[in-house]
Amino acid sequence: MKATEALHDLGQSLWIDDITRDMLDSGTLKKYIDELSVTGLTSNPTIFDNAVSKSDSYDPEIKRLSTAGYTGEALFFELALQDLSRAADLFLPIHERTATVDGFVSLEVSPLLAYDTEATVAEAKRLYGRAHKPNLFIKIPGTKEGLPAIEEAIFSGITVNVTLLFSSQHCVAAADAYMKGLERRVAAGLDPDVRSVASIFISRWDKAVMDKVPDALRDKLGIAVAHQAYRDYRAMLYSDRWQRLASMGARPQRLLFASTSTKDPKAPDTLYIGALAAPNTVNTMPDKTLLAFADHGKLQGVLSPDGGDCEDVLAAYEKAGISVSDLAAQLQKEGAASFVKSWQDLLQSIETKTMALS
């Protein structure tokens, strides 16, 4: 049995954090589904920038769309929706087989809107309606301004992948926004079964402190933060507030482990996959990490619902001079900025291609 299959059988969803037209045209994504137990897909501006700038497979469509008058963001979203619609169709049988729990793909709103609540809601509604796919998540950042947008999107019946979460506190805030949206639906007599995932970024923690802590603490912070978030996620599922919603037909906002490619060249390339196994959660990974885990990955046990030794590990980092709460805020801010940079690079790549093809 492949390690990917063992993880799937444990109850964790394996998603691929990548999409290109070449993956779709070559049948690679279908192969990942059939052979490596992949059951969903995530994307972000960096992924699309690499897809467009490093391949000529988009050139005919870029030329056609630009001739039709599309430019900039409008042209990009046409390309992205084409790819994600094809991917959504590949995952639709999984979506239906799992009673709409799994088999999702994700599209991010413009990162330029990360601190604009109203514009984020409007864009989420537009993209969700434009795609018209039951298994499409709209990615909305879990920033202070993003939280009310998440609530409003859920109330509007839009499935949401909350992104740019870096701590348990961020995840709790995302869950609160999710439940507020569901509670408003219940009060309005609407079906509360609107799906969501909360994406907590892992590897950036260890990258940020790699040269600031003793070797004994190297590559342990991200896993400890993930373990803490998982503990608090499990506690939320037993809360009276959630149980009331569940009794009315709501389904949990699943915890998703993102940014799981290893950044430390001294660490195993499957570090964050084997260490973060947990039922009823999601782990999304680049294809390089997926293939590595299928080849030589091993499960290192299952995350403990009580958090294991996460508090001791986090306390050790605090003792070493790392403020975990301050770093969480810094990483979220830097993450939003990096997506803006990737977004600008993506639009520049499209403009360059458009000019070259005209």
Side-chain angles (χ1 to χ4, degrees), residues 7 20 59 67-68 122 155 157 209 229 284 302 327:
L7 202 57
T20 66
D59 291 3
T67 301
F155 173 65
V209 302
T284 187
V302 180
L327 185 53

Side-chain angles (χ1 to χ4, degrees), residues 22-295:
D22 294 335
M23 282 176 64
L24 294 162
D25 292 343
S26 66
T28 298
L29 182 57
K30 181 68 163 61
K31 183 178 179 181
Y32 289 163
I33 295 170
D34 293 341
E35 299 180 11
L36 299 181
S37 303
V38 169
T39 58
L41 179 148
T42 49
S43 66
N44 60 47
T46 304
I47 286 170
F48 274 114
D49 180 36
N50 289 331
V52 172
S53 63
K54 298 179 180 178
S55 169
D56 60 6
S57 59
Y58 292 88
D59 291 3
E61 191 62 11
I62 289 175
K63 185 174 183 178
R64 185 187 74 81
L65 289 169
S66 63
T67 301
Y70 287 86
T71 60
E73 287 190 2
L75 195 155
F76 160 68
F77 278 120
E78 287 297 315
L79 296 176
L81 285 167
Q82 289 173 12
D83 282 2
L84 288 169
S85 292
R86 290 175 63 186
D89 289 344
L90 286 175
F91 287 112
L92 187 59
I94 295 169
H95 188 65
E96 294 173 342
R97 187 172 68 245
T98 60
T100 74
V101 170
D102 209 347
F104 282 92
V105 302
S106 298
L107 174 64
E108 191 147 358
V109 297
S110 166
L112 302 177
L113 307 179
Y115 303 104
D116 188 330
T117 301
E118 291 184 5
T120 295
V121 172
E123 184 74 342
K125 289 180 177 180
R126 185 185 73 81
L127 291 174
Y128 190 72
R130 172 76 177 76
H132 200 61
K133 294 291 181 180
N135 54 335
L136 174 78
F137 276 131
I138 298 298
K139 292 178 79 171
I140 299 176
T143 57
K144 179 182 176 182
E145 294 80 3
L147 293 172
I150 292 160
E151 176 190 336
E152 186 63 30
I154 292 297
F155 173 65
S156 299
I158 298 169
T159 50
V160 175
N161 177 343
V162 184
T163 187
L164 285 178
L165 304 175
F166 285 90
S167 68
S168 177
Q169 290 77 16
H170 289 168
C171 292
V172 168
D176 177 66
Y178 177 56
M179 289 189 282
K180 282 179 178 175
L182 296 182
E183 287 162 347
R184 288 173 58 194
R185 288 184 67 82
V186 169
L190 301 172
D191 184 359
D193 186 5
V194 181
R195 302 308 170 102
S196 179
V197 294
S199 299
I200 182 169
F201 288 37
I202 307 302
S203 65
R204 297 187 189 190
W205 281 97
D206 292 314
K207 183 179 180 182
V209 302
M210 197 176 297
D211 301 320
K212 301 175 182 178
V213 296
D215 285 347
L217 291 179
R218 196 177 179 101
D219 299 317
K220 293 183 178 180
L221 182 54
I223 292 169
V225 168
H227 214 153
Q228 185 185 56
Y230 180 65
R231 178 200 66 192
D232 294 347
Y233 164 73
R234 290 290 297 260
M236 181 273 294
L237 295 179
Y238 288 100
S239 69
D240 289 344
R241 182 184 183 189
W242 175 253
Q243 290 299 314
R244 283 194 296 272
L245 284 166
S247 71
M248 297 174 186
R251 301 296 294 267
Q253 179 187 58
R254 289 204 293 168
L255 188 63
L256 182 152
F257 301 116
S259 183
T260 53
S261 61
T262 307
K263 304 297 190 293
D264 183 355
K266 296 180 181 179
D269 55 359
T270 61
L271 174 65
Y272 301 113
I273 313 304
L276 297 178
N280 304 315
T281 62
V282 183
N283 197 321
T284 187
M285 63 202 78
D287 56 352
K288 184 178 179 181
T289 304
L290 172 72
L291 294 170
F293 190 72
D295 178 66

